[in-house]
Amino acid sequence: MVDALISDEAFIKGCAAVGAGLAVGLAGIGAGAGESGIGAAAVGAIAEDRGFLGLGLLFTVIPETIVIFGLVISFILMFAYG
Amino acid sequence: MLKPEKMVKISVVGPKERLEYASEILHKVNLLHIEDPKEAEHFRIGEPLEKASIISRTLVQLRSYISYLKIDPGRIAPKRKYRSKEIEEMLSRKLEEYQEQIGTKIEENRSIDEKIRSLEDELRIIEPLKVLGIPSRLLKGYKNLRCFVGFVKENPVDELSKITDKFDAVIKEYEKELLVAIFVKAEYGDEFFRTLQAYGYRELPVPDIEDYDARINEIEREKEELLNRKKQLETEIEEIKVKEADLLLAIEEYLSTELDKSELPLRALVSKYTFVIVGYVPAKQLDRFKSEVEKGGKIVVEVIEEEEEGVPPTKLSNPAVIRDYELLTTTYATPKYKEIDPTAIMAIFFTIFFGMMLGDMGYGLLITILALYLKKIFRTEGWQKLLNIAVYCGISSIIFGFIYGEFFGPFIIPGMEEPSKVHFLGDALSALYTFNHHHPLFDRVEEFGVKALLFIVLLIGMIKMLWGFALGFYNVYVEHGMKEAIYEKGCWFIGVLGLVMLIFGFSYNLGIFTSPPEEGFGKLLPDNLYILGSYTVEEGRAVPLPIPGLVDGWQAGVNIFYLLALPLLIVWFVIFLKAEIPKMGIFGIIMAVELLTWFGQIISYARLLAIGLSSVYIAFVINYLSIKIGTPPGMALLPVAVILLIIGHAGNLLLGILDPGLQSLRLHYVEFFTKFFEGGGKEYSPFGRVKKFLED
């Protein structure tokens, strides 16, 4: 079916692009889920003590690494097939 | 620079009657970090000097004035400083004066508030009665009648008429409630009361007032008079605040100083005839300290030879520029006395990372200007330090912006040739780089730029990872000896080095070190660093990960980096087992998975590229859209384009300050500090006080 409509190369390229998008998007959702809990707790802590602001912000960005992993994967996909 | 300042443990000894003098002189030199004393056989903790209780009482009163006047010492730069002698002379006179001026005003203000409140209470009763329209003498004072005046939630008449119909009710609506006056024979009184309670009855106490309107007017008049007086008091207080703020704060400082001194005995050990104070002094200042303290005679400073248990306080010692970054280090933790102080490393890399991520001349310029302006407004020490860091980061962004060729966004986008179509200053920027064929020095928007930068930031990651473990090795070695250091940190250093070699081997097979740009960095290494037979990168590329059994022809991929990685990983694993198995048993092997964490942390440095790219593309989209909207055929929408440009870049700048700042901080706290930095040191806080409102 697919062969008849588009070439193999184009199909692979397309799949790689979709994969790259999914890698960043899903990783973003995961990081967001992680940050939501930390963010809520951090805001609570900051409400108690303003001095916690810096540390609270810092804790909040910790799960962002996950997105970076996703991004690296998408880069690799785009370099290899894009 | 990398170590906290060296401290010497000393004792100050003298006869007991000289303790007061000792407190004077120690406070003046402001160098001795006093260690809290432990009582021993003949030595007890001393008692505060007699004057302490009087001083602290006066101080409490004075501080209440200061807080009442809302004087913030952090925001006031004194116009004139006072000498301690001056203050001493005028102290009692001034305190009396303040008691008279401020104290009585506070009192008066408070009584005015009270009067106003009681007037308002009265008003709250009279106003409903006025609405009811029945004079107060008709509402009370009956012998055979009972009269209910008050609020109810719903109309109770139906329910009341079930008890008896011989009653009279006046009902008015008042602020969403019903106001009732009910007259009934005294014998039904209790029953009526119970029924009314079911309707949420709230009684209104009826005052003895003939004319409601006259009384209301009277109250309003009184209230206005009181409010006027209050306003007058406030202006008077404001005048005092302007006139006396410096002196008030100077007196506060003087009294706090005196209190510190008179409470010194609480931190000293006292026997029948002598006193001892133990503490730390920076080694560099020891001579000055000794001569100053011993100058007055009868007091001796003695150096105590370091025993095992002493924990000296940490005084970070860094050159001027780097000192600003101590703020960031101490937010994480105060280094222990023997630990490495990472402030200097952080100062350099934090600034570079920030610039690398933001990398835009326009944003950098704005940050620098903004920070320099804010420095004039926020004068407290913490803000000054933070804003200094912002200035350095701004400058770093300008430098990287020049390298990347970005000024509020890039002017070259692959696939869009003309700079004037993607950037509102495209042609000017393009002209700026005439010396480099109209191209920026390093283009991170184009594909090769992204690839190259990705490799560069991962390289930085690997170096910092290894550096962190090396520093950790040193810290553990100083504290626990060589064996622990090898087990705890050296082992991971070797493991990560093996990992780095694997990454290099992989990259080599991809041709990063041998191929010309687009594929790699050019010919940095020979083409044939292969071990098992004579292969070239071309053949190695088929098997970037040569795992025997998994890939056919794996021999082609085994290069020298993989060969180096093998023994390193074996050595790591052996040391790791020797360290973990005795502690954790056979399941300790599972902990070897931790090596993957370090791999993840190296990858995590990719954010240096990623954060920057996102802000570049946001800037590009803003520029592109506003050019599309603002140039013909849509010329009419030029104002919209300008607004979009300004708001868009302002938002992007905000993200551009917050995100690179936080991520750069995080790369240090999470990926770097955890390898070597434990913290938990005591901060050096010498006995004494930096004078702000007093003169020497």
Side-chain angles (χ1 to χ4, degrees):
Chain A
M1 266 282 279
V2 172
D3 291 343
L5 293 172
I6 47 170
S7 68
D8 272 359
E9 199 195 346
F11 182 68
I12 290 172
K13 270 194 172 185
C15 284
V18 171
L22 284 178
V24 179
L26 291 179
I29 292 174
E35 277 178 23
S36 68
I38 303 174
V43 169
I46 294 163
E48 287 277 321
D49 175 9
R50 294 277 301 159
F52 197 72
L53 182 68
L55 220 55
L57 272 177
L58 192 80
F59 285 151
T60 314
V61 296
I62 283 182
E64 234 152 74
T65 316
I66 306 168
V67 189
I68 306 292
F69 290 161
L71 200 77
V72 170
I73 297 294
S74 78
F75 274 146
I76 292 172
L77 277 174
M78 293 318 283
F79 291 154
Y81 303 103
Chain B
M1 192 157 72
L2 285 171
K3 295 280 281 179
E5 203 162 316
K6 195 169 169 9
M7 292 282 163
V8 189
K9 192 172 188 177
I10 54 143
S11 64
V12 180
V13 185
K16 203 169 161 187
E17 68 270 12
R18 295 288 278 168
L19 189 51
E20 192 168 345
Y21 170 76
S23 77
E24 291 285 337
I25 192 78
L26 287 177
H27 198 279
K28 196 171 147 220
V29 291
N30 193 10
L31 279 175
L32 180 65
H33 176 101
I34 300 173
E35 213 178 38
D36 285 328
K38 286 192 202 84
E39 294 195 333
E41 210 178 336
H42 295 289
F43 284 96
R44 294 271 170 261
I45 289 173
E47 280 174 12
L49 302 179
E50 273 168 33
K51 56 184 180 177
S53 65
I54 302 172
I55 295 174
S56 62
R57 221 175 309 138
T58 322
L59 197 57
V60 167
Q61 204 179 12
L62 195 73
R63 281 182 183 157
S64 83
Y65 295 157
I66 290 177
S67 84
Y68 184 80
L69 294 179
K70 298 201 180 66
I71 300 174
D72 181 2
R75 287 180 160 224
I76 288 184
K79 283 185 215 72
R80 126 148 228 228
K81 296 190 174 189
Y82 293 85
R83 293 163 174 281
S84 297
K85 276 261 185 296
E86 248 177 297
I87 302 260
E88 225 167 289
E89 277 162 21
M90 62 170 132
L91 183 63
S92 56
R93 182 167 56 82
K94 271 284 164 190
L95 283 175
E96 258 171 52
E97 203 180 302
Y98 288 145
Q99 166 63 29
E100 221 166 89
Q101 284 183 358
I102 308 172
T104 49
K105 286 202 174 65
I106 295 177
E107 275 304 309
E108 194 180 343
N109 203 356
R110 200 172 294 148
S111 81
I112 287 178
D113 281 341
E114 231 160 75
K115 274 184 201 155
I116 290 180
R117 210 172 308 128
S118 79
L119 285 176
E120 277 170 352
D121 283 343
E122 202 183 335
L123 212 55
R124 254 196 295 277
I125 294 169
I126 298 178
E127 269 178 347
L129 289 178
K130 186 186 154 197
V131 171
L132 207 57
I134 305 173
S136 66
R137 69 190 143 78
L138 297 181
L139 288 174
K140 61 180 180 183
Y142 297 106
K143 270 184 192 153
N144 301 323
L145 281 181
R146 182 99 175 251
C147 179
F148 298 97
V149 182
F151 294 102
V152 287
K153 297 254 181 309
E154 278 171 59
N155 193 339
V157 172
D158 290 344
E159 196 67 33
L160 292 174
S161 48
K162 283 180 194 162
I163 303 168
T164 172
D165 52 359
K166 286 186 180 145
F167 69 95
D168 210 347
V170 179
I171 299 175
K172 290 267 162 71
E173 248 182 71
Y174 187 83
E175 287 179 359
K176 288 181 192 164
E177 276 185 305
L178 288 180
L179 190 59
V180 294
I182 294 169
F183 305 87
V184 68
K185 268 188 158 178
E187 57 201 87
Y188 297 111
D190 290 344
E191 223 169 326
F192 263 55
F193 184 60
R194 271 195 297 278
T195 314
L196 281 171
Q197 267 185 328
Y199 284 87
Y201 173 67
R202 250 181 328 116
E203 196 181 303
L204 212 56
V206 180
D208 298 312
I209 294 168
E210 272 309 307
D211 187 350
Y212 293 134
D213 282 321
R215 181 60 189 154
I216 287 176
N217 286 339
E218 208 177 298
I219 289 176
E220 295 288 354
R221 213 173 40 246
E222 265 177 58
K223 208 170 123 182
E224 207 178 297
E225 266 167 33
L226 287 171
L227 283 175
N228 281 342
R229 174 71 189 140
K230 196 174 156 77
K231 223 174 258 169
Q232 195 188 342
L233 273 179
E234 264 159 24
T235 39
E236 278 172 31
I237 285 172
E238 194 59 30
E239 269 167 31
I240 298 177
K241 180 179 170 179
V242 173
K243 209 175 83 190
E244 301 284 325
D246 284 359
L247 185 57
L248 266 167
L249 290 172
I251 295 178
E252 198 267 354
E253 192 169 286
Y254 171 79
L255 286 175
S256 308
T257 306
E258 289 304 307
L259 189 66
D260 282 350
K261 286 183 204 162
S262 59
E263 282 180 346
L264 177 68
L266 288 172
R267 306 169 75 185
L269 287 176
V270 180
S271 74
K272 210 166 171 189
Y273 301 109
T274 57
F275 75 88
V276 186
I277 299 169
V278 180
Y280 292 91
V281 171
K284 274 189 228 160
Q285 313 272 13
L286 179 63
D287 290 338
R288 185 164 82 84
F289 178 79
K290 200 171 155 70
S291 67
E292 286 273 330
V293 175
E294 288 181 349
K295 201 163 54 183
K298 283 195 180 171
I299 295 177
V300 181
V301 175
E302 201 75 46
V303 175
I304 301 176
E305 288 306 320
E306 194 62 72
E307 334 131 49
E308 268 302 294
E309 53 197 74
V311 186
T314 309
K315 182 180 186 224
L316 300 181
S317 96
N318 286 303
V321 172
I322 292 171
R323 204 172 301 144
D324 294 326
Y325 289 83
E326 282 173 7
L327 182 75
L328 301 181
T329 316
T330 46
T331 303
Y332 183 82
T334 304
K336 282 188 279 192
Y337 175 67
K338 286 184 177 172
E339 246 179 351
I340 284 173
D341 165 22
T343 310
I345 304 171
M346 184 152 179
I348 296 167
F349 281 92
F350 180 85
T351 318
I352 291 179
F353 283 1
F354 188 94
M356 239 177 143
M357 281 191 258
L358 187 58
D360 189 299
M361 287 182 272
Y363 293 151
L365 207 62
L366 274 187
I367 291 177
T368 313
I369 293 169
L370 209 65
L372 285 175
Y373 170 70
L374 289 177
K375 255 175 76 99
K376 294 220 164 80
I377 298 177
F378 295 102
R379 303 214 68 102
T380 58
E381 207 193 340
W383 273 108
Q384 288 288 319
K385 284 185 174 184
L386 199 67
L387 290 168
N388 279 339
I389 297 175
V391 172
Y392 306 140
C393 286
I395 292 170
S396 160
S397 302
I398 295 175
I399 295 170
F400 274 95
F402 185 74
I403 294 171
Y404 295 147
E406 289 166 27
F407 184 92
F408 292 108
F411 68 98
I412 294 181
I413 297 285
M416 300 174 131
E417 288 306 319
E418 278 177 68
S420 60
K421 288 233 167 94
V422 290
H423 198 292
F424 54 99
L425 293 174
D427 290 331
L429 277 172
S430 172
L432 177 65
Y433 290 93
T434 314
F435 67 92
N436 200 32
H437 311 293
H438 304 285
H439 266 275
L441 309 183
F442 184 99
D443 190 358
R444 62 170 165 171
V445 182
E446 173 220 13
E447 190 179 331
F448 173 66
V450 175
K451 271 189 197 173
L453 200 55
L454 184 61
F455 190 78
I456 291 169
V457 298
L458 291 185
L459 200 64
I460 293 175
M462 293 183 243
I463 292 169
K464 282 205 89 181
M465 191 72 51
L466 290 173
W467 194 356
F469 277 117
L471 292 175
F473 185 86
Y474 173 82
N475 274 348
V476 179
Y477 169 67
V478 168
E479 210 171 5
H480 301 293
M482 185 56 108
K483 195 175 153 199
E484 279 298 312
I486 290 178
Y487 277 175
E488 211 177 301
K489 302 289 176 184
C491 152
W492 289 111
F493 182 86
I494 296 167
V496 171
L497 198 60
L499 213 57
V500 168
M501 285 300 147
L502 285 182
I503 296 172
F504 269 76
F506 186 78
S507 316
Y508 181 79
N509 277 2
L510 288 179
I512 288 176
F513 303 118
T514 51
S515 310
E518 287 301 308
E519 294 285 314
F521 287 110
K523 202 142 186 70
L524 296 177
L525 292 172
D527 217 7
N528 52 0
L529 291 175
Y530 289 94
I531 312 301
L532 303 173
S534 55
Y535 296 102
T536 60
V537 171
E538 274 313 309
E539 287 150 296
R541 195 172 296 189
V543 274
L545 267 181
I547 304 168
L550 200 70
V551 203
D552 282 338
W554 57 272
Q555 292 91 339
V558 184
N559 57 35
I560 192 155
F561 295 109
Y562 284 129
L563 188 77
L564 284 171
L566 196 66
L568 284 171
L569 288 176
I570 291 173
V571 171
W572 157 71
F573 198 63
V574 170
I575 301 176
F576 171 79
L577 288 184
K578 279 194 87 165
E580 289 298 321
I581 298 282
K583 272 191 280 179
M584 310 277 293
I586 197 73
F587 287 107
I589 296 176
I590 296 170
M591 300 283 282
V593 177
E594 210 173 323
L595 194 63
L596 286 180
T597 317
W598 308 140
F599 180 68
Q601 293 200 349
I602 292 174
I603 300 284
S604 168
Y605 277 80
R607 74 186 66 229
L608 288 179
L609 164 74
I611 304 289
L613 276 189
S614 65
S615 92
V616 170
Y617 279 106
I618 293 174
F620 155 66
V621 169
I622 294 166
N623 290 339
Y624 184 71
L625 276 183
S626 45
I627 287 174
K628 278 271 170 201
I629 295 173
T631 51
M635 195 62 193
L637 291 176
L638 192 62
V640 180
V642 173
I643 291 170
L644 177 72
L645 206 61
I646 291 171
I647 292 180
H649 280 302
N652 200 21
L653 176 66
L654 197 69
L655 281 178
I657 296 171
L658 204 65
D659 223 21
L662 277 176
Q663 300 292 353
S664 178
L665 204 59
R666 174 226 143 93
L667 278 181
H668 285 92
Y669 283 1
V670 181
E671 269 86 8
F672 190 50
F673 281 3
T674 46
K675 310 290 174 296
F676 65 94
F677 189 19
E678 280 182 10
K682 277 184 295 181
E683 217 170 308
Y684 169 74
S685 66
F687 178 69
R689 191 176 274 269
V690 180
K691 288 186 176 126
K692 192 175 169 194
F693 300 100
L694 290 176
E695 246 175 359
D696 287 325

